[in-house]
Amino acid sequence: DQQVKQNSPSLSVQEGRISILNCDYTNSMFDYFLWYKKYPAEGPTFLISISSIKDKNEDGRFTVFLNKSAKHLSLHIVPSQPGDSAVYFCAARTGGGADGLTFGKGTHLIIQP
Amino acid sequence: NAGVMQNPRHLVRRRGQEARLRCSPMKGHSHVYWYRQLPEEGLKFMVYLQKENIIDESGMPKERFSAEFPKEGPSILRIQQVVRGDSAAYFCASSLQGQINQPQHFGDGTRLSIL
């Protein structure tokens, strides 16, 4: 049972435009959400996170939006740059912290010149 | 480099052999997590350890897999009598404390191939 779903396996965006990556979850116990970026043959790199008590968190070109009623979050990257081409994973964690992350299957973002 | 260090990066084993994967957390981090990634899949949580303690092993198969994080030295994920289905990338992550708002930082993984 996939508790964190990223329904778009890939996304192609033109350089300079906005990239929007989506993530849905089913477990209402999730309290904290994270986005990771992963290049081939490397480990995931933490990008940005958001607590369930917030609906938006911004860090430079990256903004994460959380719609708790819809159990949906999205990552916005603007403007998109060639170095942003990677696989992006959405991850979630329940309250208390004493557990591992639940990951989606990832979205492969391709930035076109 | 103060990042999470995993070794070896690549490991090849024949069916029935043992595989040992090592993870040194970031300096000052005392919480370690192991994940497994099968091809075309996301990372799946296996086990969460603090120094000398297993906190949560709910994601680890009951047989053949074990993990430890001794007082001194790296964390070890051990797979006994490996089978073809164990072929995957195994990632280790660490955090300063186990609190919910502290992100986990990942190593570059060990790619395990079973012949």
Side-chain angles (χ1 to χ4, degrees), chain A residues 46-49 56-64 75-78:
Chain A
F46 169 71
L47 272 179
I48 193 168
S49 61
K56 178 183 174 180
N57 188 24
E58 192 172 350
D59 183 2
R61 295 187 300 116
F62 302 93
T63 303
V64 56
L75 174 68
H76 291 213
I77 306 172
V78 56

Side-chain angles (χ1 to χ4, degrees), chain A residues 35-49:
Chain A
W35 284 94
Y36 283 83
K37 173 182 178 180
K38 186 180 181 302
Y39 294 119
E42 293 185 10
T45 301
F46 169 71
L47 272 179
I48 193 168
S49 61

Side-chain angles (χ1 to χ4, degrees), chain B residues 21-35:
Chain B
L21 289 65
R22 294 174 186 77
C23 170
S24 296
M26 285 180 70
K27 189 175 181 180
H29 286 193
S30 59
H31 297 248
V32 165
Y33 308 79
W34 285 93
Y35 294 83

Side-chain angles (χ1 to χ4, degrees), chain A residues 25 28-33 49-57 64-69 93 95, chain B residues 100-101:
Chain A
Y25 62 96
S28 57
M29 298 298 290
F30 286 143
D31 219 15
Y32 197 70
F33 303 89
S49 61
I50 188 166
S51 164
S52 63
I53 62 174
K54 295 187 174 181
D55 55 18
K56 178 183 174 180
N57 188 24
V64 56
F65 295 92
L66 174 63
N67 183 334
K68 204 172 172 184
S69 61
R93 198 173 191 187
Chain B
I100 190 171
N101 62 347

